[in-house]
Amino acid sequence: MAKDDITKSFKFIGTRPNRPDGFEKVTGRAKYGADISAVGMLHGAVLRSPYAHARIKSINFEKAAKLDGVKAIITRDDFPKDREGEPLKLLENTIAGEIAYYDGHAIAAVAATSVFTAKEALKEIEVEYEVLPHVIDVDEAMKPDAPIVRKNAGDFSVPEGSSPNVASYIEFGRGDITNGFDKADIVKSGLFKTEAAHQGYIEPHACMAQLDHNGQGEMWVCTQGHWYIRQMCSEVLDLEASKLCVTPSEIGGGFGGKTTIFIEPLALALSKKSGGRPVKIVMSRSEVLRATGPTASASMDVKIGMTKDGYLTAGCVEFRMQGGAFGGSPVSEALQCAFASYNMEAVHHIGFDVLANRPRAAAYRAPGSPMAAFAVESLIDEMCTDLDLDPIDVRLMNAVAEGSKSSYGPKFKKIGLIETLEATKEHPNYSIELGANQGRGVAAGYWMNHGGETSVSVSLAEDGSVNVSVGTPDIGGSRASIALMTAETYGIPYDSVRVNILETGALGFNEPTHGSRATLASGKAVYEAANQTIAEMCRRVAKKWQIDPDAVYWENGYAKPAGPNAGDFTPISIKQIASEMDQTGGPIAGHHESSIRGVGHSFGVHIADVEVDPETGRVTVLRYLVAQDAGRAVHPSYVEGQFQGGAVQGIGWALNEEYVYGEDGCLQNAAFLDYRIPVASDLPNIDTIIVEVPNPDHPFGVRGVGETGIAPPLPALANAVAAATKVRLRSLPMSPTKVLKALKTGNDGC
Amino acid sequence: MNKIHVKTNINGDQVEFLADSRETLLDCLRDHVGLTGSKEGCGTGDCGACSCIFDGELVSSCLVLGVEAEGKSIETIEGMAGQEDLHPLQKKFIEMAALQCGFCTPGILVAAKALLEKNNNPTETEVRYWLAGNLCRCTGYDKIIKAVMETAKDIRETA
Amino acid sequence: MMAVNVYLWASLKKFTNDKDILTIEATTIGELVSVLRRDFPGLKPFLDSGISFAINGELSNPNSNESIPDESEIYIMQKLKGG
Ligand code: FES
Ligand code: FES
């Protein structure tokens, strides 16, 4: 039987039950990062650099230490001196050593008996700075005479003669580029720019940590991945990993920004210095914006060749991305995504990871893909307009399919881009008539998805209900999807499954809920673990019936004799097997741990309709459609939710959101009032089409759906604005001022 | 620092606590009364995660001082469900998957309840503008708006 | 011994005598990596920097025990970040 035939006959998968943690979350009972306190707990606060780049000449905290209620003050001196490589970068970003590299860089931290005392103490710490020249813009940082962010930061890959701020260089491609462009009827190129955007989770980072003098500690923290927190904190503080037990709180959004450490080592170090008292640190929103997250800013050159009927013949990109003072922009991911949707004989990619005096970029939903999509999908749209071709048809002509060689090399297995394009083309939104000042934009997007290290366990309760233990925090309904897959595997009711998210001591290493992997990877692992218990149940029943275990099979929650030859036995339910466990050999449990393989790539296509006010330059989104291949939607409501949430983050990035720096290199919009994420009144409903081309390498056909959705909105909106105004913006965000200027002068914003 | 004795009514219960005069109502609810359902997303009145009802008015509790609660009556997310059952909005939010991470949810529910008590027949635009002060980063608002509209419909039908 | 084709990003050619496709005899990822380390010492920092593999189109974390079918196409890429 083909996989697709199996996967169509699901009983639970594809239904929309209430999420198991719904009650706690609508009643205010769910405990997030800042919601926990402990007896004797101290409050931590962090002193941050007011300069974009400065040498720290001295720190004097004598006065601060004398304040009543101040229990500990730490600086870089309280951390190990011998770290190198990535742990050193993590440490440097956690707390500055000799140099503060960006506005908001942590300099010192205080633990006191109240938040107010801790904050007063910060004011009493005297820091002498020597201000150094700074650089913020990526193209400025690439210049040979740019201020140097960190000396000798370039790695083995950097070509000779590059700017000292180039941290790494990457180049790949295939085919004969010159020949490819020769075959084209038109060749077009352009420079595109995007500003840094923040993940913007509504819950600020928060943790409560306790560490004793023997290096044994505990932490409660809002994070996407508590094993990452354990690993990074241990590396930074030189602790033995297993001695640190990290428990994840409920998490109020992450989008990639909560896959690394910021305040966590500070809380541990403060606890240790104050004699092992628990220390809680909660970031303010301005700290979140100044010192965590954001994604990279990008400057991108693209050149594409197309025949007059719309075939893509060749493409070149050069992406320069600034990922803060320590490098780590998602430039290689951006390059991998750039032409991934298309069959092109000749492609060439160049990327620079560039340092600047900004916070260290963290992952943000499909890292790199949105910028790449903006540049490439905008230029393709310009060419479709020049040649008067339908943008969906052009994408269909060039779309990758099973067996296509991806632009970055490996061949695709079964993928659903064509199905997704066809679904958008047929959707009524694509043929609604538009009025004056209105325009429609189409764009595609891609994310490769990720499996990753995963460890789960499954155990049978004495009444036949099932406990599932996973290590991937539930950020958007994954308890529900994992419970559905468990119910499907056993054939027991959804309500008989409880999914628990366990602390680091209880399971093997788990990568975070990132890379669209929670449902995909934990689901696959749970399927394996559940099948171990099913095999064990069948063995026990076989003993009871005194037949061969192979003659017992499992269906719909019952062990049954496999066919007439096995004998005539009444099927035995999971309930009965469980109730007899203690007399048939003891507890029944299964576990699975591996690096999960078999991820399925996910493609999406969006259609945006906008209206541009010629007086104010304001762009209003009239209608928005997301179509994406989910493989199989385990809980369709939460799949739609991922599509909608991703699209709206992309809309924010396209229209409003940006990091604004002053001449002094300090962030000027470190508040939600000025860093404006979309609000309800900015938006229409976000229509969705779930395309299901099952992933052949997943037991339930799942691909992973979280990330792709943020990429297409950037170009879809730029294309829609261009259609509405006949003016092309090649720089984001398309804020009213920028749009107005473009309308008046034709300036593309770059 | 001398603390101030505050006597107030929260979700129908008489409550007393000692507040530092600099503390917000949100701080007091969370740290002194143990009601951590109201969340702090910004502390500057921009996100709505701390929404509470203060003497009948919808407020951002991060912009109200704790000592102002003296003699007042306050409703928080913890007081929204009845003894027997969840509030219709709470039920609808779960049924329609109107929450992902759930961090904005308490504030949005409190704000939406305040809207429906004023107007049980709002247009979609009215709902979108009423909730414009409540940020949600996960959902794109679509399912939230639909859940509020559906609840309003149910309330009208059962009224 | 079985031979597999290893595709490297062009920017690494300077460490591999200007070749971006290498034919290497190896039956596991671990063997493959040690051959690369032995024959092209310049690749060390790259191999140490966190890499992932695509074996016949399947992306995965590095697992040195993973066996590679004969005539496989293997792409070595930087380890993926996810949001
Ligand atoms: S915390 Fe009060 S409005 Fe954001
Ligand atoms: S559900 Fe996460 S912020 Fe609204």
Side-chain angles (χ1 to χ4, degrees), chain A residues 5 44 70 87 113 141 170 249 342 393 439 509 555 643 648 702 739 741:
Chain A
D5 298 333
V70 171
T113 48
I170 191 164
S249 68
Y342 305 115
D393 288 343
F509 193 93
E555 190 182 57
F643 290 4
V648 168
V702 171
V739 172
K741 189 165 162 207

Side-chain angles (χ1 to χ4, degrees), chain A residues 132-152:
Chain A
L132 301 170
H134 65 268
V135 62
I136 296 293
D137 180 74
V138 61
D139 289 323
E140 291 296 322
M142 286 281 289
K143 291 183 178 161
D145 56 346
I148 298 175
V149 178
R150 274 175 46 246
K151 287 207 183 82
N152 306 320

Side-chain angles (χ1 to χ4, degrees), chain A residues 289-409:
Chain A
L289 287 164
R290 282 169 76 204
T292 74
T295 186
S297 65
S299 165
M300 302 170 284
D301 285 304
V302 190
K303 184 176 166 190
I304 294 174
M306 196 186 264
T307 66
K308 58 184 184 317
D309 2 315
Y311 284 102
L312 296 168
T313 61
C316 287
V317 289
E318 183 187 300
F319 291 173
R320 299 163 293 272
M321 290 192 176
Q322 153 306 115
F326 304 97
S329 74
V331 68
S332 72
E333 287 85 347
L335 295 173
Q336 277 173 255
C337 293
F339 295 117
S341 301
Y342 305 115
N343 270 313
M344 292 161 85
E345 259 171 50
V347 283
H348 194 75
H349 311 74
I350 290 177
F352 294 91
D353 180 24
V354 186
L355 306 188
N357 292 109
R358 302 208 199 190
R360 184 179 202 192
Y364 182 20
R365 208 170 197 151
S369 184
M371 299 84 146
F374 174 59
V376 170
E377 294 288 296
S378 291
L379 196 64
I380 289 179
D381 192 71
E382 291 183 35
M383 300 173 88
C384 293
T385 311
D386 290 353
L387 294 169
D388 200 19
L389 297 170
D390 178 274
I392 297 187
D393 288 343
V394 165
R395 287 173 172 86
L396 273 168
M397 285 162 63
N398 294 288
V400 285
E402 184 171 3
S404 304
K405 219 167 162 36
S406 70
S407 54
Y408 54 92

Side-chain angles (χ1 to χ4, degrees), chain A residues 254-322:
Chain A
F255 316 108
K258 291 180 183 164
T259 55
T260 184
I261 51 168
F262 298 102
I263 47 174
E264 294 79 5
L266 300 177
L268 286 165
L270 283 169
S271 172
K272 185 169 174 190
K273 206 166 178 182
S274 60
R277 287 175 73 167
V279 174
K280 173 152 126 183
I281 304 184
V282 182
M283 273 193 171
S284 68
R285 176 57 49 184
S286 105
E287 287 181 290
V288 170
L289 287 164
R290 282 169 76 204
T292 74
T295 186
S297 65
S299 165
M300 302 170 284
D301 285 304
V302 190
K303 184 176 166 190
I304 294 174
M306 196 186 264
T307 66
K308 58 184 184 317
D309 2 315
Y311 284 102
L312 296 168
T313 61
C316 287
V317 289
E318 183 187 300
F319 291 173
R320 299 163 293 272
M321 290 192 176
Q322 153 306 115

Side-chain angles (χ1 to χ4, degrees), chain A residues 11-13 468 481-497 526 556-557:
Chain A
K11 193 164 165 191
F12 298 102
I13 286 176
V468 178
S481 62
I482 290 167
L484 280 166
M485 291 184 279
T486 311
E488 192 71 53
T489 309
Y490 285 105
I492 58 172
Y494 168 79
D495 285 337
S496 298
V497 180
V526 166
N556 282 332

Side-chain angles (χ1 to χ4, degrees), chain B residues 23-26 54 59-69:
Chain B
E23 279 174 318
T24 66
L25 174 59
L26 178 62
F54 186 80
V59 296
S60 292
S61 63
C62 70
L63 297 182
V64 177
L65 287 174
V67 294
E68 290 180 70

